[in-house]
Amino acid sequence: MKRTKRWALILLGSSSVLLVPWMVVLALTLPAKTEVHNWSLAWIGLDVLMALGCATTALLGLRGDPRARLTASATASVAVLDAWFDITTSAVGTELLEALASAVAEAGLAAACVFLALSKGWVRTNSSRAT
């Protein structure tokens, strides 16, 4: 393994350990409720990222570009984050049920993206292209 890759992996592992006490601090100090400015912009922004990720993955994938694996992976992450925030910020009742229904759809999207990200054979050969 290359030295820089090894150090990057060590840094990632160390970061995961250092995040544990930080999560404890947040759990003890963050307020249970807060007023949020730009609420709609935050939610629309997640959906814009998801739509752009889907479109970019589709375009790259249809071209046989292996970078579609990267955009599929990023899009899966955004879909999971969107579902998480939908559920955790919903009020109990109808709002939560709607969030859970949306989360099912977003989980399906995330699963499709993970499938594409892990798929092989993205690069088309000259013989497989339509003439």
Side-chain angles (χ1 to χ4, degrees), residues 32-107:
K33 292 183 179 187
T34 187
E35 182 180 326
V36 179
H37 301 284
N38 302 313
W39 183 252
S40 60
L41 179 62
W43 286 110
I44 292 167
L46 275 175
D47 289 336
V48 167
L49 283 173
M50 203 163 18
L52 287 174
C54 289
T56 304
T57 301
L59 290 172
L60 290 173
L62 290 170
R63 291 180 176 177
D65 191 324
R67 292 176 295 179
R69 297 170 91 180
L70 299 173
T71 58
S73 178
T75 304
S77 298
V78 172
V80 170
L81 285 172
D82 195 329
W84 171 261
F85 284 109
D86 282 344
I87 293 168
T88 59
T89 60
S90 295
V92 176
T94 304
E95 191 176 319
L96 180 57
L97 290 175
E98 290 173 359
L100 290 169
S102 293
V104 170
E106 290 160 341

